[in-house]
């Protein structure tokens, strides 16, 4: 039974890996198509706001390539130099994406300054906006796919890529509305003003992406809801033990690491305590994907709570 479950789990992990890698690869292609459309829109109109939108898409292409590389690395099995695996590689990709976002914002602000020094009317605005609109629709659909798939697969790189794309979508919608207003009112100042707003918005997004990724690199614990779920699973499968304490968790990419101390009767055999540990570990693996469990078994004189409790409590 255990062997069959192990084979099924391995097959599921392999399928997830293939899906994540496939999405990361296609993200490069789609980001390239969107970038090309936005560059055409900028070339047609000469709009600095559309230039800012295209600059953000350049980041998308580079970030998608970085995410593809990071995902390949993160799925490598543990080795002698990396006994805990390579899961954190995806966080480096997300940090790089955040840095590139900041660079894009600075490039946009530089273009805004040049535009204010040498103002020029928009050329063929409606045609350019139509091309940019098509690129925005493609981006919106793809960003939603990346975020939902990345969360299901616990892939920080895919989620970060999708979130940046959705920020790009919001930016594009704002630029579209603002340029429509500029064309209808004749207020050309709206064009560089929109570009400044875009730059500030993506600066904020870049800071958020970097902060979230640094959290992962600093071994952030699971959230409160998942922590309580882990406690419930351990408690429900600890029959025969006396107490559980010092529960610690950390997240590294897709993997969740769990460790705790399990107190048993001092006279219990190693084999009997091992059965309890296996039962707990199997229950955690059944509920939490890519979990790594470390259990430290202790005798009853290490208990932190008084003897006589009927359930297996947490200290």
């Amino acid at each position: 039974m255990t062997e069959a479950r192990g084979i099924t789990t391995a097959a599921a992990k392999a399928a997830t890996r293939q899906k994540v890698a496939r999405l990361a690869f296609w993200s490069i292609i789609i980001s390239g198509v969107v970038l090309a459309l936005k560059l055409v829109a900028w070339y047609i109109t000469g709009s600095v706001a559309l230039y800012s939108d295209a600059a953000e898409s350049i980041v998308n292409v580079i970030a998608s390539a970085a995410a593809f590389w990071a995902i390949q690395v993160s799925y490598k099995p543990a080795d002698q130099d990396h006994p805990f695996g390579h899961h954190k590689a995806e966080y480096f990709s997300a940090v790089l994406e955040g840095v590139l976002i900041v660079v894009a914002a600075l490039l946009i602000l530089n273009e805004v300054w040049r535009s204010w020094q040498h103002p020029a009317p928009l050329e063929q605005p409606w045609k350019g906006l139509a091309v940019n609109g098509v690129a925005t629709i493609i981006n919106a659909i793809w960003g939603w796919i990346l975020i939902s798939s990345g969360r299901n697969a616990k892939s920080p790189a895919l989620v970060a890529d999708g979130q940046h794309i959705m920020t790009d979508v919001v930016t594009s919608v704002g630029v579209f509305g603002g340029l429509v207003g500029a064309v209808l009112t004749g207020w050309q100042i709206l064009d560089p003003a929109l570009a400044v707003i875009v730059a500030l918005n993506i600066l904020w997004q870049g800071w958020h992406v970097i902060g979230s990724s640094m959290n992962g690199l600093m071994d952030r614990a699971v959230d409160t809801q998942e922590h309580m779920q882990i406690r419930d699973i351990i408690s429900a499968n600890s029959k025969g033990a006396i107490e559980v304490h010092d529960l610690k968790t950390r997240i590294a990419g897709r993997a969740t690491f769990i460790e705790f101390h399990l107190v048993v009767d001092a006279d219990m055999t190693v084999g009997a305590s091992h059965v309890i540990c296996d039962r707990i570990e199997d229950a955690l693996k059944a509920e939490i994907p890519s979990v790594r469990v470390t259990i430290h078994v202790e005798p009853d004189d290490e208990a932190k709570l008084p003897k006589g409790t009927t359930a297996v409590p947490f200290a």
Side-chain angles (χ1 to χ4, degrees), residues 183-260:
V183 173
L184 294 178
T185 62
W187 297 349
Q188 298 301 323
I189 192 63
L190 285 176
D191 183 31
L194 281 170
V196 171
I197 294 172
V198 169
L200 295 177
N201 177 54
I202 65 176
L203 272 174
W204 171 255
Q205 180 66 17
W207 176 255
H208 176 75
V209 169
I210 292 173
S212 177
S213 302
M214 292 302 292
N215 241 341
L217 290 172
M218 294 297 290
D219 289 336
R220 178 177 59 87
V222 301
D223 59 35
T224 302
Q225 182 179 354
E226 189 168 1
H227 183 86
M228 295 308 297
Q229 179 193 11
I230 291 169
R231 285 171 61 103
D232 290 342
I233 293 171
I234 295 172
S235 185
N237 292 275
S238 298
K239 185 178 180 181
I242 295 173
E243 178 185 295
V244 177
H245 58 245
D246 292 347
L247 172 64
K248 297 176 183 177
T249 64
R250 67 182 177 92
I251 300 173
R254 297 173 308 282
T256 300
F257 290 83
I258 300 171
E259 62 178 74
F260 58 89

Side-chain angles (χ1 to χ4, degrees), residues 4-16:
R5 182 164 59 244
I7 294 173
T8 303
T9 302
K13 287 181 179 179
T16 300

Side-chain angles (χ1 to χ4, degrees), residues 112-137:
V112 169
W113 176 249
R114 290 175 56 190
S115 175
W116 272 334
Q117 288 183 316
H118 307 285
L122 299 179
E123 301 176 9
Q124 305 183 70
W126 298 117
K127 185 182 292 185
L129 285 172
V131 173
N132 208 64
V134 172
T136 301
I137 293 171

